[in-house]
Amino acid sequence: MEPNSRDIAGIRTVALFEGTKGILVIAAGLGLLALIHHDVQALAEEIVSHFHLNPASRIPRIFLEAADAANDGRLRLLALGAFGYASLRFTEAWGLWRARPWAEWLGIVSGGIYLPLEVYELVVSISAVKIGTFLVNLIVVAVLVRARIRARK
């Protein structure tokens, strides 16, 4: 069965979302590469100070500890991981745009893996970001599952 226009619109919306995630991760990877040969710890301290954050509180402390552990090798490795992840997102987006079943399955699996973790995080504590992340991921998986079910009929 050919996908109907609603399915195609939903799948293409997911494709655009995945492509956007890929672009953002590429930007993050390039940002990591730009930090090579720089004092990451000093930059992190400047950011915490600029935003008037308490360096002893949880999030800024984690941020400062991560910056302290950063070295050129780790930055390169993180950038490589970012580029690999972005490649996966771009591949999925291309396949979804062209309504390829393998891309729908890839989206179902890659989105579905996070749902139990997101539910757990919501049980631990609720925040608008956690709820939003869960709902977006749930909608993405639901759109792709619906398209797969309709394709089998």
Side-chain angles (χ1 to χ4, degrees):
M1 177 179 180
E2 286 293 313
N4 67 30
S5 60
R6 254 181 89 186
D7 288 339
I8 291 171
I11 291 168
R12 286 196 167 170
T13 301
V14 173
L16 290 171
F17 179 69
E18 295 301 330
T20 301
K21 286 186 346 188
I23 290 168
L24 292 173
V25 173
I26 289 285
L30 292 172
L32 289 168
L33 289 177
L35 293 174
I36 292 175
H37 304 307
H38 288 85
D39 187 352
V40 178
Q41 180 66 31
L43 178 62
E45 290 171 2
E46 187 177 321
I47 291 169
V48 168
S49 174
H50 178 76
F51 288 104
H52 306 289
L53 301 173
N54 177 0
S57 64
R58 183 172 178 259
I59 301 295
R61 188 181 73 245
I62 292 169
F63 178 64
L64 291 170
E65 289 172 2
D68 186 47
N71 59 40
D72 290 353
R74 284 188 179 151
L75 292 172
R76 284 186 184 99
L77 187 60
L78 285 170
L80 181 64
F83 297 142
Y85 179 81
S87 297
L88 179 65
R89 299 293 72 150
F90 289 142
T91 302
E92 180 183 347
W94 180 87
L96 288 172
W97 192 264
R98 301 184 51 90
R100 301 292 196 250
W102 60 263
E104 293 167 3
W105 283 112
L106 177 61
I108 291 166
V109 171
S110 67
I113 284 174
Y114 295 108
L115 289 174
L117 299 171
E118 291 166 353
V119 168
Y120 171 77
E121 285 298 320
L122 285 169
V123 169
V124 170
S125 67
I126 294 178
S127 73
V129 171
K130 289 179 182 180
I131 292 170
T133 302
F134 173 72
L135 289 176
V136 167
N137 200 17
L138 184 63
I139 290 167
V140 165
V141 172
V143 165
L144 298 176
V145 166
R146 179 174 182 245
R148 285 287 77 225
I149 290 171
R150 291 174 66 93
R152 293 187 118 190
K153 290 183 179 177

